[in-house]
Amino acid sequence: MLTIKNYINGALVEPISKKYIDNYNPSTGKVFSLCPDSDEQDVEMAYQAANAAFEQWSNTSAEKRSKIMLRISSLIEKNIEKFAEAETMDQGKPLWLSRNGEIPRAVSNIHFFGTAIEHFASEAHPMGNHAVNYTLRTPIGVVGCISPWNLPLYLFTWKIAPAIASGNCVVAKPSEITPYTAYLLSEICIEAGLPAGVLNIVHGLGAKVGSAITSHVGIKAISFTGGTKTGAEIARVAAPMFKKLSLELGGKNPNIIFADCDFEKMLTETLRSSFLNQGEICLCGSRIFIERPIYEKFKKAFVEKVKVELVVGNPMQADTKVGSIVSKMHFEKILSYIELAKQEGGSVLCGGNAVKLQGEFAEGWYIAPTVIEGLQYNCRTNQEEIFGPVVTITPFDTEEEVLHMANSTEYGLACTIWTENLTRAHRMSFAIRAGIVWINCWLLRDLRTPFGGVKNSGVGREGGWEALRFFTEPKNVCIKI
Ligand code: NDP
């Protein structure tokens, strides 16, 4: 049995308590590794290591920091198969998705910020010929990065890469549900020669390790991705200490389809935006609104495509499109939402059930991709985040009506719009209340763009310069000439 270790002060270490949590492979429902059940003592040790490393790391040139980061990214790339298998074993997503999506993106995150830091510059504000201001951008110190289980290495590196690129030292916690690739990353950091203490990874539960990071007085900024409830708790604890906060939270994203769209392109992409990664992506479009003239055509073609193309199966198998749900608890939560949808008057057009596989996968947690119609836009199923392979379809007649429905949730992360009418695309993009709008595409990502949500989907933006600005403190220096 694999025993995962914490990565503190450049070494792989056991949790001080010597306690471990069972880590499940969701495709088999069996324990395959042990994850440290760390507590505030381990966080304190990590903080001390980070704090001790800060002086030197923050004064290391950007060029040198960059070189080390590029070594880390190319070592992950070299070991892509090992990382992909680990991610799939831990998270349940199909192996092809780990291999072609998740792990290459983690490589890109580190590469992107490792190179960006060499181009990061600050501003000057001259006051005619009598004074000049310039802005110093210095690293914050020790920062905390906390990430969820849905895109484990992808989201973990999305945070730690800009943090260390800009000269901070990090105490990080991956989700205890999916700790494996963060552990492999710690081995790579040692091999790449990342100085001890620059990155510290403390595995364990949110209530112990996460809250010890959030409440630590020496940790001056928290970058968090996860659920809205947890985000609110982090904000409550961190606010009185005036920590910098970046919170990337839940979503309930609308996918708005106008009758004038390119139907075939829209259909293919809507299948992806509904069910990729078992629907466990904060950006998935779980509420699909279809303009009435094409509602019946869409419904027939979409349900057919889901039934024919979306093979639910063992995630290691090449033809599997939908793997297993990450945990038993989450599996039960998704099924309970399907029951709720029925109680609320919804008709299940396909799926709606758990899927039982054979042999060693018989105890795994699988759910058939589910399409539901006939629900009110403001019922719980259409307002609360399910975060699984479940979408609802709803017809609309006017732009005004669909905007009202789309904007009706507490969330405002992302929106997809399908139309060939450019003026309408601009008008809708302006009116939709979300941090990200995709027109005639979905999840097309450029790492330079601001990433984040409005309303209860979060505070602040990640990506590009936004992330490097978050992880630095601007200081204005005014010189009288
Ligand atoms: P959670 O909020 O449950 O957990 C996220 C992380 O926070 C985990 O590492 C968790 O540890 C930790 N945590 C839990 N409680 C605390 C606490 N009190 N203090 C500090 N840390 C804590 O989210 P999930 O892991 O369930 O992830 C799914 C959620 O993430 C969905 O709502 C999804 O929308 C959102 N998400 C948002 C994205 C975005 O960019 N906006 C992207 C991806 C996901 P533990 O695992 O032990 O609970």
Side-chain angles (χ1 to χ4, degrees), residues 253-270:
N253 309 304
N255 177 4
I256 303 172
I257 301 169
F258 286 96
D260 68 356
C261 69
D262 179 327
F263 192 84
E264 288 311 315
K265 261 194 209 152
M266 173 281 297
L267 197 63
T268 304
E269 205 57 12
T270 295

Side-chain angles (χ1 to χ4, degrees), residues 146-151 155 173-177 204-207 209-212 214 224-231 233-234 247-251 280-283 330 385 387 411 413 451-453 457 462:
I146 303 174
S147 56
W149 48 256
N150 64 323
L151 302 167
L155 289 173
K173 185 195 106 59
S175 171
E176 103 285 349
I177 298 167
L205 299 168
V209 176
S211 64
T214 310
F224 169 81
T225 298
T228 294
K229 253 196 190 155
T230 316
E233 170 63 11
I234 289 175
L247 304 173
E248 300 298 333
L249 310 175
E280 296 164 332
I281 302 182
C282 55
L283 304 163
H330 195 53
E385 188 182 39
F387 214 54
Y411 299 108
L413 186 55
F451 180 90
S457 287
E462 297 185 324

